[in-house]
C-alpha cells in the first residue's frame, strides 16, 4: 500500500458515523489492518458488528484525480453485482470528500491469493491445477466481455467511437512527452518502435463489438481461490472502461511469461511449469467467445506497445533525476523485451 499511514487518511470516528447513517452495523470499528494493494491506494480491512469490510481510497497525493478514479471503481463494481464476473462485492460507496477527505468505498473481503506473490501448497504442488489457473484467467476475461454494459447502466462509461484508432496516437503522445526529462536518450533506444506503431496503424481491426474491459488485466490483478484453480476475484478496476474487451486479451499476451517462466513484469510465479502457453490461452478464448478473434496478433502487439511506453516513462524520469536509476534501468529493459516480443510476432507473421 502507499507509504502513508492509514491512520492519517482514515478517520475511524467519521467513518463509523457515516456507517451508522447507512445502517452498516453498530458498535466500534475493530481490528483495522492495512492490506497490500499497490502504491496508489489505501486498503484497510476491519470488522464491525460481526461483519468484515475492506475500505479503499486513494492516497493523499494520487496520480491524476484519485477521487474520480475511486468513484469509477465503485460504479463498475456496483454494475457487476449479480453478474458472473468474479469481483469484490460492493457494500457501499461515498462519492463525497467530506467524510475522510477523499471518495471511498466499502467492499467485501476476498478469500483468495495473488499468484505473483506466492502459490499455496495445493497450487504449487500440482501442474494440472496450475494449468487450469491459466484458463481460469481467460474465463474471467470472457465473463467480463459478456457483460451487457447498457443494461448495467454503463453506457456512458467510455467513448466507443474511434476507440481503436485512438490507441497508437494516445500512447505515442505519452512517449513524446518524455522529452521533457533531461538526458532521456529518446525513442531510438527502443527497438522497432516506429515499425510497431506503423504496423498497428496499418492493421487496425475494421470493427469491434463494444463491451466492458478491465484495462489492466493480468496475473497480478486477479486473486485465485484457496481451494482450487478458479478466480476468486478480479481486482484493481481503476482503468476499467467501455471499449474493445479484446484489449484485455492483448494485455495478457503482452505480460504472459515465457514458457520457461521468465517474466517481463518481474512478478515471476514459481513453479511455472503447467501453465498454458499463449497460443493455448488464445484458443481457449476463441472457443468460448462470440467475438471476432482473427486479429488477436494486433491486440497482442498493441499490448506490448502500450505497456512498453508506460514502463519507459520511469526510465525517462530516472534520466531526469526524479526516479530511481536502478528501477528505471530495469523497466527500460522490460520495455525493450516487450518490443522484441512484438517484433517477433510481426517478423514471423504469427503469435508463436
Amino acid at each position: 500500500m502507499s507509504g502513508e499511514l492509514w491512520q492519517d487518511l482514515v478517520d475511524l470516528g467519521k467513518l463509523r458515523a457515516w456507517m451508522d447513517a447507512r445502517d452498516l452495523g453498530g458498535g466500534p470499528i475493530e481490528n483495522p489492518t492495512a492490506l497490500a494493494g499497490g502504491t496508489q491506494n489505501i486498503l484497510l480491512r476491519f470488522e464491525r458488528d460481526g461483519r468484515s469490510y475492506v475500505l479503499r481510497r486513494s492516497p493523499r497525493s494520487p496520480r491524476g484525480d484519485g477521487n474520480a478514479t475511486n468513484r469509477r471503481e465503485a460504479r463498475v463494481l456496483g454494475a457487476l453485482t449479480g453478474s458472473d464476473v468474479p469481483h469484490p462485492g460492493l457494500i457501499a460507496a461515498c462519492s463525497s470528500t467530506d467524510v475522510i477527505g477523499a471518495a471511498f468505498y466499502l467492499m467485501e473481503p476476498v478469500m483468495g491469493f495473488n499468484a505473483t506473490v506466492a502459490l499455496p501448497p495445493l497450487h504449487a504442488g500440482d501442474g494440472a491445477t496450475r494449468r487450469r489457473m491459466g484458463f481460469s484467467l481467460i474465463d474471467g476475461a470472457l465473463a467480463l466481455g459478456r457483460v451487457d454494459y447498457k443494461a448495467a447502466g454503463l453506457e456512458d462509461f467510455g467513448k466507443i467511437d474511434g476507440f481503436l484508432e485512438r490507441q497508437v496516437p494516445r500512447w505515442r503522445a505519452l512517449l513524446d512527452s518524455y522529452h521533457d526529462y533531461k538526458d532521456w536518450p529518446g525513442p531510438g533506444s527502443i527497438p522497432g518502435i516506429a515499425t510497431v506503431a506503423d504496423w498497428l496503424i496499418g492493421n487496425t481491426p475494421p470493427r469491434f463489438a463494444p463491451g466492458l474491459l478491465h484495462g489492466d488485466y493480468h496475473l497480478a490483478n486477479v486473486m485465485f481461490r484457496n481451494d482450487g484453480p478458479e478466480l476468486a476475484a478480479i481486482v484493481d478496476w481503476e482503468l476499467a472502461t467501455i471499449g474493445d474487451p479484446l484489449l484485455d486479451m492483448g494485455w495478457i499476451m503482452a505480460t504472459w511469461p515465457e514458457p520457461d517462466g521468465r517474466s517481463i513484469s518481474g512478478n515471476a510465479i514459481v513453479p511455472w511449469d503447467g501453465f498454458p502457453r499463449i497460443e493455448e490461452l488464445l484458443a481457449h478464448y476463441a472457443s468460448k467467445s462470440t467475438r471476432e478473434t482473427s486479429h488477436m496478433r494486433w491486440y497482442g502487439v498493441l499490448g506490448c506497445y502500450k505497456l512498453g511506453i508506460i514502463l519507459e516513462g520511469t526510465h525517462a524520469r530516472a534520466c531526469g533525476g526524479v526516479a530511481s536509476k536502478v528501477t528505471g534501468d530495469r523497466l527500460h529493459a522490460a520495455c525493450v523485451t516487450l518490443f522484441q516480443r512484438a517484433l517477433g510476432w510481426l517478423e514471423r507473421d504469427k503469435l508463436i
Side-chain angles (χ1 to χ4, degrees):
M1 66 176 289
S2 169
E4 296 182 85
L5 294 175
W6 68 261
Q7 291 92 336
D8 297 332
L9 296 172
V10 182
D11 186 316
L12 294 184
K14 292 181 178 179
L15 175 62
R16 176 180 171 180
W18 182 85
M19 293 178 70
D20 284 344
R22 285 150 187 82
D23 197 25
L24 295 174
I29 290 176
E30 299 177 314
N31 303 318
T33 304
L35 302 177
T39 59
Q40 283 298 299
N41 297 282
I42 303 298
L43 289 174
L44 182 70
R45 179 168 180 161
F46 62 90
E47 284 79 44
R48 191 183 195 207
D49 200 14
R51 184 180 186 183
S52 295
Y53 299 83
V54 173
L55 179 147
R56 182 174 170 105
R57 63 148 289 172
S58 61
R60 195 186 313 276
S61 300
R63 296 172 187 167
D65 187 342
N67 292 312
T69 298
N70 190 281
R71 294 179 189 115
R72 284 180 63 85
E73 291 174 3
R75 182 179 172 188
V76 73
L77 289 179
L80 290 174
T81 301
S83 74
D84 62 351
V85 177
H87 66 281
L90 180 70
I91 298 173
C94 178
S95 61
S96 171
T97 61
D98 294 339
V99 179
I100 62 171
F104 68 92
Y105 60 88
L106 301 179
M107 57 184 167
E108 302 281 359
V110 175
M111 302 304 294
F113 68 94
N114 186 317
T116 64
V117 175
L119 296 181
L122 171 65
H123 304 73
D126 183 27
T129 296
R130 293 192 293 276
R131 179 172 177 79
R132 284 156 51 206
M133 287 171 66
F135 294 130
S136 292
L137 180 71
I138 304 306
D139 289 338
L142 285 161
L144 189 56
R146 288 192 298 267
V147 171
D148 184 337
Y149 69 93
K150 294 181 180 179
L154 296 175
E155 189 166 4
D156 62 344
F157 202 64
K159 298 178 181 179
I160 296 172
D161 291 343
F163 181 80
L164 295 183
E165 291 78 7
R166 290 197 303 269
Q167 295 301 313
V168 171
R170 174 185 179 184
W171 301 110
R172 186 157 51 191
L174 179 63
L175 182 71
D176 289 342
S177 74
Y178 299 159
H179 287 289
D180 294 342
Y181 295 100
K182 183 181 178 181
D183 297 330
W184 177 56
S189 63
I190 304 172
I193 189 162
T195 299
V196 170
D198 290 345
W199 183 88
L200 286 168
I201 292 171
N203 292 274
T204 304
R207 65 189 64 85
F208 68 93
L212 178 63
L213 64 143
H214 180 273
D216 192 18
Y217 195 69
H218 56 94
L219 282 167
N221 277 342
V222 300
M223 297 182 70
F224 289 91
R225 291 173 57 96
N226 293 317
D227 59 357
E230 294 79 21
L231 293 188
I234 303 168
V235 298
D236 291 348
W237 291 87
E238 58 261 40
L239 298 179
T241 191
I242 303 301
D244 187 345
L246 291 180
L247 263 68
D248 282 341
M249 283 302 299
W251 206 245
I252 292 173
M253 293 163 65
T255 58
W256 198 250
E258 298 290 347
D260 62 4
R262 286 181 292 119
S263 172
I264 290 170
S265 67
N267 295 320
I269 295 177
V270 179
W272 179 253
D273 62 286
F275 279 94
R277 295 170 63 94
I278 292 176
E279 71 267 29
E280 293 178 297
L281 300 179
L282 293 174
H284 183 80
Y285 187 94
S287 70
K288 295 178 177 292
S289 176
T290 59
R291 296 181 182 278
E292 173 59 59
T293 58
S294 61
H295 297 281
M296 290 310 303
R297 184 164 59 121
W298 188 89
Y299 293 94
V301 172
L302 176 64
C304 292
Y305 182 79
K306 174 181 173 180
L307 180 56
I309 288 174
I310 291 172
L311 297 182
E312 181 65 13
T314 301
H315 178 230
R317 289 187 288 274
C319 291
V322 292
S324 162
K325 183 180 186 304
V326 172
T327 302
D329 289 346
R330 177 174 61 83
L331 294 185
H332 175 69
C335 169
V336 169
T337 299
L338 283 162
F339 274 86
Q340 289 171 336
R341 174 175 284 192
L343 288 171
W345 287 338
L346 299 190
E347 292 166 0
R348 293 191 297 271
D349 196 32
K350 60 180 182 179
L351 290 170
I352 301 298

